[in-house]
């Protein structure tokens, strides 16, 4: 979902991206507590090359094995990992990191290979640049000279603003101040890579199913990876901070979504340490009876899942359309903003969420904005408040819309019909024939995902009328779905009209981490979200995405006043919301019913990056007994109080790092 970067795979995405987000942190030093953690994963990695992949499937397999300069503690603070200390120049352009001595590179078999040095971070970024990392946008406009190097205008990487001053001193030079710069460094494109090992492996470095194709300096070693079967980690006994690693082994079993009840069964048997429950499953009443005092709902996380809109579809292998006229009519309709808004307002998100969370929990997961409304704040106003103010300029249809999480502020049948009436008049004048047929591919094994898309179909067709819009659900295999969405090699391979295989987990603590990805220059994301690639794409120009680019770029230039910066990013979010080029649906992390043997609030916590509790197991502690709802709520109250105090303390200490 993340992080990811962290695209959310379809079908079981809402399971994969968020299941661990609620694992939190309390205290348990019980020497008899379980030491083996078990749960599920939902997609095999294409590659283990953490420096070039932005996909959640890679992160699940690698985030525990490789540490960068920083990680996250249980309160969401960035804390030193391989970096022992750091400083920033007064102009905000030069960051210097002291590398911790004695951090070792280990093989997957636990043999010491070398010491981690500053040079490894330089080599890691060079590898990412040379191989056109999917996450290069995180670095290329930030690190001085990197964009020119990636573009081929400068062949000398030594001129790029990352330098090993000596073995234990690393220096980055930025193009402009970035107050959130350090939060980027928890993301994998900035992680180290041993040059000698890279050369020895050649093209086999980061090979998808080969744990020996990586070196490890993190809390766990990747010991085994079998496609569509399991991922296994063991504790790194030579890890520099092994006292904070409380698990000896982690085993993740492949889960395709076909048997929802298997997760609870494996939890009950003791194989899994944690279970995301499905209130709509056939045995839920029995589960409720068995675990009535143990089921709790986790808070909504920062990840977002929704429906992408293909504005430039090229392939039609998976379609119900039978004529070229139907294809042309659909393409024209999706290029019409009023038509897209009609879909947006006709989308019953509460019903959609209920297909996975049940009626009681359905509203908790609903999301109305791409950027989480409370992700950042400007004074007393949340980001969502700022967006609400900006939306007033976009028309009466946006009046009195509540963009807060946890409720459906967009579903409105009257508005949907009004927008559709405008669209139909304009489209019929262009020769468009109705009904418009919209193909949505789904994983045929994922029951809850199919149910969600069926819910979408029902709400849209009911509100707009089947004589006007027909949702054609294409049930295909897991691999087929991934090949035309999540793993599609190009925009031409994105074979759909609407896709639920889209979502995002933020990488760092700034709205740009969401909004930058949809700029026309980011082909890796635009093909996945909107079915096109290339800043000069005609469809992108027709829907006005150049205006979006301008708004995002204008916001990015503001570095001196965060309140003004957030105002400008809110303007970009408002444009995106009005465009309805992405239909937000649900939080892809949290807001789910859980039973667990994880000590509440013992895991790392983060709104961004690759060291959050959905993929990082360093701090997690287990207990023998199932957590009770009362214990969880008490621990959460205590954690929130401690988190506030801890965050404030860290903020006050930041000034000490300016040199």
């Amino acid at each position: 979902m993340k992080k990811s970067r962290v695209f959310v795979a379809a079908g079981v995405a809402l399971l994969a991206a968020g299941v661990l987000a609620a694992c939190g942190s309390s205290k348990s030093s019980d020497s008899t507590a379980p030491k083996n953690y078990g749960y599920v994963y939902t997609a095999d990695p294409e590659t283990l090359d953490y420096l070039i992949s932005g996909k959640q499937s890679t992160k699940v397999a690698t985030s525990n094995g490789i540490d960068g300069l920083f990680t996250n503690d249980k309160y969401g603070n960035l804390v030193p990992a391989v970096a022992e200390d750091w400083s920033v120049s007064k102009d905000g352009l030069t960051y210097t990191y002291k590398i911790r001595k004695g951090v070792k590179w280990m093989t997957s078999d636990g043999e010491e290979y070398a010491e981690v040095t500053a040079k490894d971070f330089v080599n890691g970024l060079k590898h990412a640049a040379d191989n056109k990392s999917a996450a290069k946008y995180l670095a290329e406009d930030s690190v001085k000279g990197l964009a020119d190097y990636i573009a081929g205008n400068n062949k000398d990487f030594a001129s790029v603003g990352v330098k090993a001053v000596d073995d234990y001193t690393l220096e980055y030079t930025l193009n402009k101040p970035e107050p959130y710069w350090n939060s980027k460094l928890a993301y994998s494109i900035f992680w180290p890579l041993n040059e000698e090992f890279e050369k020895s492996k050649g093209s086999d470095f980061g090979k998808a199913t080969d744990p020996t194709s990586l070196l490890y300096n993190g809390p766990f070693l990747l010991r085994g990876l079998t496609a569509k079967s399991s991922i296994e980690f063991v504790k790194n006994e030579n890890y520099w901070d092994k006292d904070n690693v409380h698990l000896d082994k982690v085993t993740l079993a492949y889960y395709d979504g076909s048997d929802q009840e298997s997760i609870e069964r494996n939890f009950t048997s003791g194989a899994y340490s944690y279970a995301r429950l499905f209130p709509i499953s056939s045995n839920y009443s029995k589960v409720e009876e068995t675990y009535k005092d143990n089921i709790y709902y986790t808070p909504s996380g920062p990840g977002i899942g929704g429906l992408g809109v293909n504005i430039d579809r090229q392939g039609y292998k998976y379609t119900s359309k039978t004529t070229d006229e139907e294809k042309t009519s659909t393409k024209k309709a999706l290029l019409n903003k009023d038509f897209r808004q009609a879909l947006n307002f006709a989308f019953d998100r509460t019903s959609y969420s209920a297909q996975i969370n049940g009626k009681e929990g359905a509203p908790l997961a609903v999301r109305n904005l791409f950027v989480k409304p409370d992700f950042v704040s400007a004074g007393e106003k949340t980001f969502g408040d700022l967006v609400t103010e900006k939306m007033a300029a976009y028309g009466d249809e946006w009046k009195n819309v509540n963009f807060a999480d946890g409720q459906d502020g967009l579903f409105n049948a009257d508005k949907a019909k009004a927008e559709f009436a405008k669209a139909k008049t304009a489209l019929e004048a262009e020769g468009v024939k109705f009904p418009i047929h919209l193909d949505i591919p789904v994983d045929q094994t994922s029951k809850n995902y199919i149910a969600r898309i069926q819910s979408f179909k029902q709400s849209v067709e009911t509100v707009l009328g089947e004589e006007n819009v027909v949702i054609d659900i294409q049930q295909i295999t897991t691999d087929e779905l991934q090949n035309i969405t999540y793993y599609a090699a190009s925009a031409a391979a994105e074979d759909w009209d609407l896709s639920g295989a889209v979502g995002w987990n933020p990488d760092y603590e700034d709205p740009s981490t969401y909004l930058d990805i949809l700029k026309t220059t980011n082909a890796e994301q635009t093909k996945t979200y909107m079915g096109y690639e290339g800043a000069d794409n005609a469809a992108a120009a027709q829907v006005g995405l150049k205006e979006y680019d301008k708004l995002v770029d204008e916001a990015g230039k503001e570095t001196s006043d965060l309140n003004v910066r957030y105002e400008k990013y809110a303007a970009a979010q408002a444009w995106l919301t009005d465009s309805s080029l992405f239909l937000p649906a649900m939080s892809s992390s949290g807001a789910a019913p859980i039973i667990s043997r994880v000590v509440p609030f013992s895991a790392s916590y983060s709104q961004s990056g690759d060291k959050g509790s959905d993929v990082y197991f360093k701090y997690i502690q287990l207990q023998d007994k199932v957590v009770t709802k009362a214990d969880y709520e008490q621990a959460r109250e205590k954690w929130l109080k401690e988190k506030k105090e801890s965050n404030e303390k860290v903020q006050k200490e930041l000034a000490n790092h300016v040199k």
Side-chain angles (χ1 to χ4, degrees):
M1 27 222 28
K2 261 209 168 164
K3 92 126 344 335
S4 119
R5 321 92 55 148
V6 188
F7 293 124
V8 184
V12 286
L14 296 166
L15 171 70
V19 287
L20 297 177
C23 299
S25 41
S26 205
K27 293 175 185 167
S28 174
S29 57
D30 184 0
S31 60
T32 65
K35 300 294 185 184
N36 295 341
Y37 182 93
Y39 199 59
V40 302
Y41 76 105
T42 59
D44 291 321
E46 286 184 303
T47 177
L48 295 180
D49 190 341
Y50 50 91
L51 292 155
I52 68 169
S53 174
K55 291 184 167 57
Q56 185 80 352
S57 50
T58 297
K59 299 174 191 310
V60 168
T62 60
S63 286
N64 288 282
I66 295 91
D67 270 0
L69 295 170
F70 292 96
T71 187
N72 298 107
D73 68 11
K74 65 183 182 179
Y75 301 119
N77 299 312
L78 276 175
V79 292
V82 180
E84 190 172 42
D85 198 6
W86 64 280
S87 63
V88 57
S89 59
K90 289 181 180 179
D91 62 7
L93 296 179
T94 304
Y95 282 77
T96 304
Y97 301 91
K98 290 298 180 183
I99 303 301
R100 190 183 303 276
K101 294 182 179 179
V103 178
K104 304 296 184 183
W105 283 118
M106 309 297 295
T107 68
S108 63
D109 293 325
E111 298 294 324
E112 184 179 326
Y113 186 90
E115 187 172 15
V116 178
T117 69
K119 294 176 185 176
D120 297 330
F121 288 88
V122 177
N123 187 56
L125 191 58
K126 183 177 187 299
H127 175 89
D130 289 343
N131 291 277
K132 301 297 189 287
S133 171
K136 61 185 173 63
Y137 59 87
L138 277 172
E140 64 182 333
D141 293 330
S142 299
V143 179
K144 189 175 182 180
L146 185 59
D148 279 342
Y149 180 81
I150 290 174
N153 300 328
N154 176 17
K155 308 288 187 183
D156 183 14
F157 193 78
S159 66
V160 174
V162 57
K163 181 170 65 173
V165 178
D166 56 47
D167 282 351
Y168 303 107
T169 309
L170 177 68
E171 184 180 277
Y172 285 96
T173 304
L174 308 186
N175 288 316
K176 61 185 179 183
E178 292 186 8
Y180 49 87
W181 166 255
N182 277 343
S183 69
K184 283 187 174 184
L185 301 182
Y187 193 80
S188 59
I189 191 175
F190 295 104
W191 294 353
L193 171 61
N194 180 278
E195 185 176 9
E196 180 184 333
F197 181 81
E198 177 193 9
K199 288 179 178 177
S200 72
K201 288 297 181 181
S203 61
D204 284 338
F205 173 74
K207 193 173 180 180
T209 57
D210 183 7
T212 69
S213 67
L214 294 181
L215 288 180
Y216 305 87
N217 70 337
F220 293 92
L221 309 175
L222 179 60
R223 186 55 56 85
L225 197 163
T226 305
K228 290 184 171 59
S229 177
S230 65
I231 300 176
E232 298 179 8
F233 305 90
V234 296
K235 182 177 181 178
N236 179 1
E237 295 295 345
N238 288 284
Y239 182 53
W240 68 271
D241 192 26
K242 67 178 182 179
D243 288 347
N244 279 314
V245 183
H246 307 291
L247 303 172
D248 292 335
K249 186 177 181 182
V250 174
T251 304
L252 305 178
Y254 181 71
Y255 175 76
D256 65 7
S258 60
D259 183 2
Q260 295 175 355
E261 296 166 5
S262 66
I263 294 183
E264 178 271 321
R265 288 199 306 271
N266 279 294
F267 175 83
T268 298
S269 73
Y272 294 169
S273 307
Y274 184 88
R276 194 255 196 254
L277 301 178
F278 299 92
I280 43 83
S281 63
S282 59
N283 75 331
Y284 189 68
S285 58
K286 183 180 177 183
V287 174
E288 242 183 341
E289 184 180 340
T290 303
Y291 292 106
K292 60 181 180 292
D293 296 327
N294 306 101
I295 300 172
Y296 58 87
Y297 278 83
T298 59
S300 174
I304 170 70
L307 297 175
V309 177
N310 194 333
I311 59 174
D312 193 23
R313 184 175 180 180
Q314 300 171 55
Y316 291 91
K317 180 179 179 181
Y318 304 99
T319 185
S320 295
K321 297 177 180 63
T322 57
T323 67
D324 287 342
E325 183 179 61
E326 287 182 342
K327 295 174 185 176
T328 301
S329 292
T330 297
K331 187 169 283 191
K332 287 182 177 179
L334 290 177
L335 288 170
N336 182 288
K337 184 172 75 169
D338 292 325
F339 181 82
R340 298 193 303 270
Q341 286 186 353
L343 294 177
N344 210 355
F345 288 127
F347 183 2
D348 185 344
R349 291 162 176 81
T350 305
S351 174
Y352 186 89
S353 174
Q355 308 311 311
I356 189 171
N357 286 329
K359 188 175 180 181
E360 178 189 352
L364 301 177
V366 173
R367 174 71 59 76
N368 300 283
L369 291 176
F370 189 49
V371 179
K372 194 174 191 300
D374 58 357
F375 188 65
V376 295
S377 294
E380 297 298 315
K381 295 179 181 179
T382 67
F383 187 78
D385 294 333
L386 300 177
V387 175
T388 301
E389 293 173 357
K390 304 292 183 186
M391 291 305 298
Y394 282 97
D396 290 345
E397 64 267 32
W398 297 109
K399 281 185 177 178
N400 302 316
V401 174
N402 183 354
F403 293 108
D405 280 352
Q407 53 79 48
D408 192 343
L410 293 171
F411 178 51
N412 187 304
D414 291 338
K415 289 181 179 181
K417 291 173 182 176
E419 295 308 311
F420 181 80
K422 289 191 288 184
K424 189 169 187 179
T425 298
L427 290 168
E428 284 183 331
E430 294 181 43
V432 167
K433 301 297 182 183
F434 289 83
I436 301 299
H437 283 265
L438 298 170
D439 294 312
I440 305 183
V442 300
D443 183 341
Q444 63 192 17
T445 66
S446 181
K447 293 178 181 178
N448 73 64
Y449 183 56
I450 293 172
R452 274 178 276 146
I453 297 303
Q454 287 173 335
S455 168
F456 175 79
K457 172 182 172 71
Q458 182 179 9
S459 67
V460 169
E461 291 180 356
T462 298
V463 172
L464 300 180
E466 289 181 62
E467 71 278 12
N468 292 314
V469 180
V470 175
I471 305 298
D472 293 314
I473 301 175
Q474 308 296 325
Q475 294 197 33
I476 56 182
T477 68
T478 303
D479 288 342
E480 285 175 318
L481 177 70
Q482 291 186 339
N483 288 338
I484 64 170
T485 56
Y486 193 57
Y487 289 140
S490 66
E494 301 281 355
D495 190 359
W496 46 271
D497 295 315
L498 299 176
S499 170
V502 293
W504 196 251
N505 283 338
D507 298 323
Y508 53 92
E509 302 289 326
D510 188 73
S512 58
T513 187
Y514 291 93
L515 298 170
D516 278 4
I517 70 165
L518 298 181
K519 288 172 57 178
T520 61
T521 50
N522 289 331
E524 178 68 22
Q525 283 74 42
T526 61
K527 72 178 175 61
T528 304
Y529 279 81
M530 300 177 202
Y532 82 92
E533 52 192 343
D536 57 351
N537 180 271
Q542 188 171 336
V543 298
L545 277 162
K546 286 296 184 181
E547 175 63 24
Y548 177 77
D549 286 354
K550 289 178 184 176
L551 290 168
V552 174
D553 288 343
E554 181 66 25
K557 292 174 184 175
E558 177 56 60
T559 60
S560 59
D561 188 327
L562 285 181
N563 288 348
V564 175
R565 181 182 178 87
Y566 297 160
E567 284 266 4
K568 290 184 176 183
Y569 274 117
Q573 170 68 81
W575 187 98
L576 181 64
T577 296
D578 179 65
S579 78
S580 296
L581 287 164
F582 172 77
L583 310 182
M586 296 174 62
S587 165
S588 62
S589 51
I594 300 298
I595 47 178
S596 175
R597 295 187 190 89
V598 176
V599 175
F601 301 95
S602 62
S604 62
Y605 170 80
S606 175
Q607 287 200 110
S608 63
D610 291 335
K611 298 297 183 181
S613 57
D614 56 340
V615 293
Y616 196 53
F617 310 133
K618 175 176 176 178
Y619 300 104
I620 287 178
Q621 298 179 53
L622 303 178
Q623 60 186 52
D624 290 314
K625 295 180 180 179
V626 180
V627 176
T628 67
K629 181 179 180 180
D631 286 345
Y632 175 81
E633 295 297 343
Q634 184 179 359
R636 175 170 165 73
E637 193 174 316
K638 180 174 180 286
W639 176 79
L640 286 171
K641 181 175 180 293
E642 292 174 349
K643 179 180 182 299
K644 184 174 184 293
E645 294 170 352
S646 179
N647 294 165
E648 289 175 351
K649 181 181 178 183
V650 169
Q651 283 300 312
K652 289 178 181 177
E653 291 174 349
L654 285 176
N656 297 331
H657 293 279
V658 179
K659 305 295 184 182

